[in-house]
Amino acid sequence: MSAVIWNLLFKSFGETLYMIGLSGLLACLGGIPLGVLLYATVPGGLMPRPWLNRIVGFVVNAARSTPFIILMVALLPFTRFVVGRSIGTTAAIVPLAFAALPFMSRLVESALKEVEPGVIEAAQAMGASPWQIVCKVLFPESVPGLLRGVTLMLVNLVGYSAMAGVVGGGGLGDVAIRFGHQRFRPDVMVVTVVIMIAMVQVIQGTGDALARCVQRRRGLED
Amino acid sequence: MIELQNVSKEFDLRNESAFHALKNVSLSIRKGSIFGIIGRSGAGKSTLVRLINLLEIPTSGTVRVGGVDMTSLSPVELRVARRKIGMIFQGFNLLSSRSVADNVAFPLELEGRGSDEIKGRVSELLELVDLSGKKDEYPAQLSGGQKQRVGIARALAANPDILLCDEATSALDPQTTTEVLALLKEINRKLGLTVVLITHEMSVIKEICEEVVVLDRGEVVESGAVFQVFTRPQSPVTRALVAGVMNQEIPPHFAALDFLQEPEGDCGLLVRVSFLGDTAAEPIISGMVRRFGIDVNILYGAIDHIQGVPFGTLIVELSGNGSRNAALDYLKNLNLGLEVIGYVRRNLESSL
Ligand SMILES: Nc1ncnc2c1ncn2[C@@H]1O[C@H](COP(=O)(O)OP(=O)(O)O)[C@@H](O)[C@H]1O
Ligand SMILES: [Mg+2]
């Protein structure tokens, strides 16, 4: 393969990292509070608000069941409003974040559900406010689960980001389609796929290692 | 210190009905005492203590702690009030994400204390529960007894006036239970803490409680000094509960005998005598023999200790020609617990 193609691959790899990194960050920033909200507002929860819970839950489910490709197109006007343009790598981050955010909120919700109710009750008995319970009990106690959630969300984003070419986002997936598929370059196709597999492996491996490290530090076997 | 008046608690069940976990419970717990709550599983013991710090909201009735009506407090006031009520649990409920020292620091952080102050207080508490060497370990690395000692240190961190213990020793082996109880007793004595203790282990109550309440199906069936309740249980529930530790039941080989209500031919009278404190058994028996010319045959004897005070039970057979009624009066006048079991024919020895 020529230096030009290697350069292109290198550039696309950078775009993919940029898209996953920023949309992953946005998904965390939005998904974590939303996950806490889903967790806390259930009947019998920290701050029961059954109606709010039902509405937010419905919206999250609806967003999660919308196919990514449709989400991307549907969000075009919004993307233009936020980023100033609807085409390009940065523009692709908006639908990516929107796809990952509701997923992240469910992952956070289920990580928080793993926290033993007795521990929360003990904190309540000690006079902790709901906010203190979230910050000092729920988050620290569920760190391994949250790390696993972030890992899963990022792995999913690797797949979604491959479709970003549709909105001119570039990235490895785009190279695979335009060079590997449309210009009959199986070698390019193979290299992009191998890079993406390696990315997933690295993300998964790092996430698992971090989670295990925290568990071990706490003297917990997993 | 703690005053419950006509407290009821209903849980709403899904099928529109309600479950009465507590019915019209009234009790008062003296400041500085160790107060026991016993009852069968599901009797409402946990619900009762959780009402004290308002983890459960009473359906009706009032809960007063230190003169303050807990249900009248705003959420913020309630949190402040809860800091003065420590609680320990059967499952310990420690934060797995925090080291021993940081677990103990938790309630102090909630209060917003400075880190130097927290550090000093934590090492003081770890000293008290004898865990200074474990301060950097995590709960998962500790034994059950050590975990509960962390729980106790944490519960004491904010200098509470009350310590609630919900089956705090139930997950521990007997040896560790004894250690934890000794610690609770020491805390009660040293710090003047009011301790409310749920347990299904009667030996625990016997060892450290002064007063006890017996719950059954959400109702108080008996309450009073442990001595009174354990030595003279009134209700069948209490009798069943204390049977294991009090030797209150007639030993089975006596229960199997044919008892007669009236004397009939050559028969002996079986009596159970119970005595508290230092009343010695021997002078009583020799007294009866000397004064009333009867024979006294000791069939069964046991001595129990309730908080170090002996409580003895004797089953004796009175026979012979002397006046048995006079002997019974004599026993009554000595202020002994006396229960006439019945008459048995004199072939007793051979039937035993
Ligand atoms: N949150 C709840 N909802 C419905 N029923 C409950 C709840 N908590 C306790 N109960 C019921 O109340 C009764 C008393 O429970 P509890 O106080 O835990 O008993 P104990 O501690 O004496 O074993 C039990 O029958 C239990 O099933
Ligand atoms: Mg219970």
Side-chain angles (χ1 to χ4, degrees), chain B residues 11-13 19-21 39-48 50 56 166-167 198 215:
Chain B
F11 288 110
D12 292 325
L13 302 178
F19 178 79
H20 285 248
R40 290 182 290 211
S41 169
K45 307 181 292 295
S46 297
T47 308
L48 180 56
R50 290 158 54 84
E56 301 290 1
D166 190 349
E167 307 255 5
I198 294 181
L215 279 184

Side-chain angles (χ1 to χ4, degrees), chain B residues 72-131:
Chain B
S72 71
L73 300 177
S74 71
V76 177
E77 288 169 331
L78 177 61
R79 274 178 232 144
V80 174
R82 279 176 174 169
R83 293 188 185 137
K84 292 291 156 207
I85 308 175
M87 190 167 191
I88 57 175
F89 308 84
Q90 178 172 9
F92 318 120
N93 293 348
L94 301 176
L95 288 140
S96 66
S97 55
R98 288 175 170 241
S99 67
V100 166
D102 290 344
N103 262 286
V104 179
F106 186 79
L108 300 167
E109 283 177 29
L110 294 181
E111 285 187 333
R113 302 291 182 87
S115 63
D116 285 341
E117 190 189 349
I118 291 180
K119 222 169 161 188
R121 179 85 183 119
V122 167
S123 60
E124 202 179 293
L125 286 158
L126 290 178
E127 194 81 43
L128 175 74
V129 300
D130 200 18
L131 277 177

